[in-house]
Amino acid sequence: MTELADLAELAKRRGFFFASNEAYGGTAGFYTYGPEGAALKRNLEDTWRDIFVREEGHMELEAPTVMPEAVFEASGHLDGFDDMIIECAECGATHRADHLVEDEIEDVEDAEAYEPQEVGQLIADHGIECPSCGAALADEPVEEFNLMFGTNIGPGSSSPGYLRPETAQGIFVEFPRLKEYARNQLPFGVAQIGRAYRNEISPRRALVRVREFTQAELEHFIDPEHDEPPIERVADVEVPLYSAAAQQADDGETETYTVREAVDEGVIESEWVAYYLGRSIEFYERIGIDMARFRYRQHLPGELAHYAADCWDAETELGGNWIEVTGFAYRSDYDLKKHGEYSEEDFTLFRQYDEKQTVERATVDPDMSYLGPEFGGKAGDIADALDALAGRDRSAFEGEEVTVKVDGEEHTVPVEKTGFAVEEQTESGEHITPHVVEPSFGVGRLVYSVLIHSHGSDVVNDEERSFLELPADMAPTTVAVFPLMTKDGLDDRAQEVARELRAAGFEVSYDDTGNIGRRYRRQDEVGTPYCVTVDYETQEDDTVTVRERDSTDQERVALDELPSALRRLVAGESLSDL
């Protein structure tokens, strides 16, 4: 059984995750997290909050998952959030065209960056067939398919809305209020963990490509002219980088740099992105990612998102493939400017100068008694266009006439009718549109990566053992409590020990089914780091046996010291130190 298939079987059997709605035939692209998976996912999210919210001093919000159409018109998702689709004329199956090309052509790794016509030509040239029925796809068109899930808000169809494809927009649209909570002071960050939805053409690879998923996103609002990241905090952190230059070279490989080296040598363009690449290493290590199967890959020019000035992906190796688990993007001021433009609300922030400044400002005071009769209903828009042009290019007013464009149509106005002037003004500050740095983590893909990277097997007492080598604070259950036998009151005492440990704050499982060896194997397989066996030899005996998962070593621990001993083990002490 392959690594991924082995993990899929374990995940279903032990309750980590499984396909949803199986009683009704299943629904592709949707998964249910079982008891073990939900706990692991919650622990991962708590670790993320610990690092990126609490330690960084950021805010957190929870926004709705359904948002009005206007939000996604502004964000660009309605026009540009597409994947390439191809439909088989024989069986009617639809497939993600770029994935077919990547799967069938060895030297093509990022077909998503190609144009649909290029992908269609590759399908034809290489005789790629339909994976469902084997029919040739050479003559089928490759088209763009928008991934948004549409809905209506309220009865009827007058208020169209969409399930959000990312949690970020729920932060951006609330910026006018969030800046008040930040006392109008940059920089500040706003985090959110929540569900997002994408109508994927061909969901696959378990939790890797699904239609409903959880994101943990941080939007860090900065003034690019004045705010600098605390790069010294991560300057010596080593980061494995697969740069765009390395990807384009014949023999390019992942290279390890310190964050400082990567910035100084220009491998990472943005110091803010570099800071979060370095900061995130601790997170990946804490949740249990195998760092020998991890890298940061820079986006090639053709795959940069419409909003991204620079972008790196954190990738983990799963079953021989590199999978994106986090995107780190410098989104510039794209999002806030767009929402300001479409909503007509104020998405800027006032930055106070240290000292008042005297500056020259170009202004217009159009003669509306001229513009009104001359241009009718467009007069107001022309006046606004003149004002914008004066602020942008005062040289346009140096001749006798000035031309502005409104709704794609050019209009010429005599300069004497514009009221153009250049004046000295004393200003105490200026309105700026913040830039945004965004680390966006795919929680499901991280859960999947942690499970695969921690899954192993060995032989204990001549018997093969399957285990999950999860960090103690990530494991769904911290400690399992067993009675050695269900007689002589051992089961009652073990139940009492389990209750006491739960009251002390531990996640506890109680198991009295089967022999003690089988109970150990069950707990090893779900990643429980410690087992406690109540095996009193006499009523006066006040010790229990503590077993450690990875080494299978055992030690006797006094019952009244058990909670503190377990806390020390979770914190990193070894069993022999107790």
Side-chain angles (χ1 to χ4, degrees):
M1 193 177 278
T2 66
E3 178 183 52
L4 301 187
D6 195 21
L7 192 279
E9 188 275 332
L10 168 65
K12 186 174 182 178
R13 178 166 48 84
R14 290 301 187 195
F16 282 96
F17 63 86
F18 45 87
S20 299
N21 308 315
E22 288 186 323
Y24 291 90
T27 309
F30 295 90
Y31 282 84
T32 296
Y33 288 90
E36 301 292 343
L40 174 60
K41 180 173 178 283
R42 182 175 61 249
N43 291 340
L44 188 150
E45 291 169 358
D46 287 345
T47 301
W48 188 87
R49 282 190 175 95
D50 190 40
I51 293 175
F52 294 101
V53 181
R54 185 186 63 80
E55 292 184 11
E56 292 292 327
H58 296 317
M59 299 183 279
E60 182 178 0
L61 59 69
E62 182 176 343
T65 57
V66 176
M67 306 180 77
E69 184 177 60
V71 169
F72 301 111
E73 288 177 350
S75 68
H77 284 91
L78 287 186
D79 292 331
F81 198 62
D82 303 319
D83 278 340
M84 286 176 270
I85 189 171
I86 188 168
E87 182 175 350
C88 175
E90 288 291 323
C91 68
T94 55
H95 306 284
R96 177 109 175 237
D98 52 323
H99 286 172
L100 292 181
V101 167
E102 291 170 358
D103 292 343
E104 296 293 331
I105 305 175
E106 186 174 343
D107 58 347
V108 176
E109 295 184 359
D110 185 34
E112 185 178 5
Y114 294 10
E115 292 296 323
Q117 296 83 353
E118 295 176 283
V119 171
Q121 191 62 52
L122 287 171
I123 289 173
D125 292 346
H126 291 267
I128 296 176
E129 299 176 342
C130 172
S132 300
C133 71
L137 296 174
D139 296 328
E140 309 305 329
V142 174
E143 300 176 337
E144 298 280 9
F145 175 76
N146 191 275
L147 303 179
M148 302 281 285
F149 275 108
T151 186
N152 290 312
I153 301 174
S157 59
S158 60
S159 297
Y162 292 87
L163 295 174
R164 64 187 184 190
E166 60 178 8
T167 65
Q169 300 306 319
I171 297 175
F172 294 139
V173 299
E174 305 301 347
F175 179 80
R177 190 174 301 277
L178 293 170
K179 69 182 180 182
E180 296 177 9
Y181 301 153
R183 298 178 298 281
N184 291 290
Q185 298 294 312
L186 293 174
F188 69 88
V190 183
Q192 180 171 200
I193 298 177
R195 295 282 182 162
Y197 305 85
R198 298 179 184 179
N199 196 11
E200 292 287 349
I201 297 166
S202 53
R204 60 179 186 169
R205 295 179 183 172
L207 300 181
V208 171
R209 191 164 296 280
V210 292
R211 290 176 168 138
E212 179 184 23
F213 53 96
T214 300
Q215 287 182 308
E217 292 194 306
L218 173 67
E219 309 303 328
H220 199 156
F221 300 99
I222 65 168
D223 179 346
E225 299 296 326
H226 296 85
D227 296 331
E228 296 182 355
I231 203 79
E232 66 281 353
R233 290 176 54 190
V234 297
D236 296 327
V237 174
E238 293 187 338
V239 287
L241 303 180
Y242 190 34
S243 67
Q247 295 169 63
Q248 293 167 332
D250 292 336
D251 56 352
E253 297 179 347
T254 299
E255 297 184 67
T256 298
Y257 299 79
T258 66
V259 171
R260 174 55 65 194
E261 289 171 344
V263 171
D264 289 346
E265 296 179 28
V267 181
I268 305 174
E269 295 179 19
S270 165
E271 285 199 1
W272 279 101
V273 171
Y275 171 73
Y276 277 111
L277 295 184
R279 190 74 180 93
S280 299
I281 291 293
E282 177 189 352
F283 170 72
Y284 297 121
E285 291 175 340
R286 278 179 56 178
I287 65 175
I289 295 295
D290 181 354
M291 300 309 287
R293 303 170 70 179
F294 174 89
R295 71 185 184 188
Y296 288 125
R297 185 186 69 84
Q298 188 177 26
H299 278 206
L300 296 169
E303 62 179 313
L304 281 172
H306 58 272
Y307 52 73
D310 188 26
C311 188
W312 290 75
D313 287 342
E315 296 183 331
T316 59
E317 185 272 313
L318 305 177
N321 296 304
W322 286 97
I323 303 298
E324 174 197 351
V325 294
T326 309
F328 299 83
Y330 189 95
R331 296 180 73 129
S332 66
D333 58 2
Y334 173 88
D335 300 279
L336 296 186
K337 277 190 171 179
K338 282 293 185 180
H339 286 300
E341 174 187 339
Y342 276 74
S343 70
E344 298 183 356
E345 292 291 327
D346 184 8
F347 281 77
T348 67
L349 186 145
F350 187 74
R351 184 174 68 83
Q352 192 85 22
Y353 295 147
D354 294 334
E355 296 180 355
K356 291 184 177 181
Q357 298 180 10
T358 300
V359 296
E360 285 189 343
R361 295 291 185 201
T363 64
V364 294
D365 183 15
D367 182 353
M368 299 306 293
S369 65
Y370 168 80
L371 293 187
E374 183 72 17
F375 300 107
K378 294 185 177 181
D381 291 337
I382 291 173
D384 291 341
L386 289 169
D387 183 58
L389 180 60
R392 185 173 67 248
D393 180 15
R394 66 182 65 174
S395 65
F397 294 81
E398 292 177 354
E400 294 184 358
E401 295 180 328
V402 60
T403 299
V404 293
K405 185 178 289 187
V406 174
D407 295 333
E409 184 179 353
E410 291 188 345
H411 302 277
T412 300
V413 181
V415 170
E416 64 180 15
K417 300 296 185 181
T418 66
F420 175 79
V422 177
E423 303 173 348
E424 283 194 350
Q425 298 177 357
T426 300
E427 299 179 346
S428 60
E430 64 178 328
H431 286 273
I432 64 169
T433 302
H435 285 208
V436 178
V437 184
E438 179 195 69
S440 176
F441 295 75
V443 173
R445 292 184 178 190
L446 286 166
V447 168
Y448 193 45
S449 299
V450 167
L451 288 172
I452 290 173
H453 288 189
S454 65
H455 188 218
S457 63
D458 60 9
V459 176
V460 176
N461 297 328
D462 298 324
E463 183 179 347
E464 185 172 356
R465 175 181 74 138
S466 173
F467 60 87
L468 291 175
E469 198 173 354
L470 297 171
D473 56 356
M474 285 294 298
T477 301
T478 313
V479 56
V481 177
F482 312 146
L484 183 62
M485 299 176 291
T486 56
K487 63 179 183 178
D488 299 332
L490 289 180
D491 49 348
D492 293 337
R493 188 68 185 106
Q495 290 271 23
E496 184 179 346
V497 170
R499 286 194 296 270
E500 291 171 351
L501 289 176
R502 290 190 185 106
F506 294 99
E507 295 292 336
V508 181
S509 173
Y510 176 83
D511 188 358
D512 60 9
T513 306
N515 65 50
I516 197 72
R518 288 190 178 276
R519 285 181 253 171
Y520 282 148
R521 298 295 177 269
R522 281 198 290 268
Q523 296 303 321
D524 291 345
E525 197 167 39
V526 296
T528 304
Y530 309 107
C531 293
V532 171
T533 302
V534 177
D535 51 359
Y536 302 122
E537 295 181 1
T538 69
Q539 289 294 334
E540 290 74 30
D541 189 352
D542 63 350
T543 63
V544 292
T545 298
V546 177
R547 173 188 181 269
E548 195 267 338
R549 176 196 64 211
D550 298 337
S551 66
T552 71
D553 291 342
Q554 301 182 14
E555 291 286 343
R556 302 291 295 182
V557 175
L559 193 57
D560 59 358
E561 296 178 0
L562 183 59
S564 63
L566 288 170
R567 289 191 185 93
R568 289 162 56 194
L569 289 172
V570 170
E573 290 192 31
S574 64
L575 199 60
S576 59
D577 293 331
L578 298 181

